[in-house]
Amino acid sequence: MQAPTFFILTALAAQPLHGYGIVQSVARLSDGEVNLRPGTLYGALDRLDQQGLIAVDREESVDGRLRRYYRLSDSGAAALADQADRLRRHAAAAGRQLALRPGTAGGAA
């Protein structure tokens, strides 16, 4: 799972959001490392919807423009949980290897 997808699903984990809300949430959650452009965002949202990982929650008209809200599906929540677990395992493996590095508290001198 690519970082933008991971953060889009993470942004939708707590509540449904519209496109701009997703962009803001992803920027905040990634500490500014992932900045989604509209074309990238809406392409990803279409793909995630087709994969069943998200769904349209509702649509509202705001100032004459349609605002679509997306929510995380049960399948999306499971995929996000699996990816979060995988990332934890990978980070732990990196930590163990770094601890073996010479000159560190856990490694040989």
Side-chain angles (χ1 to χ4, degrees):
M1 182 180 292
Q2 298 294 319
T5 298
F6 176 79
F7 282 110
I8 289 169
L9 296 179
T10 300
L12 295 173
Q15 65 184 353
L17 295 169
H18 56 78
Y20 185 64
I22 294 170
V23 168
Q24 290 178 312
S25 184
V26 165
R28 180 180 49 78
L29 290 165
S30 70
D31 291 329
E33 291 182 24
V34 177
N35 293 298
L36 298 171
R37 295 176 187 250
T40 302
L41 172 67
Y42 290 105
L45 291 174
D46 287 343
R47 180 178 47 80
L48 294 170
D49 186 30
Q50 290 173 358
Q51 293 173 344
L53 300 177
I54 66 170
V56 174
D57 185 69
R58 67 185 185 279
E59 294 178 340
E60 295 177 353
S61 180
V62 178
D63 297 328
R65 297 187 65 187
L66 187 63
R67 181 178 285 174
R68 183 172 291 156
Y69 285 77
Y70 298 88
R71 64 174 170 75
L72 189 64
S73 69
D74 291 343
S75 298
L80 179 59
D82 288 346
Q83 181 67 7
D85 184 55
R86 191 169 133 223
L87 291 172
R88 278 191 290 275
R89 289 192 319 269
H90 291 183
R96 288 190 300 273
Q97 289 302 108
L98 285 168
L100 299 174
R101 185 175 160 87
T104 62

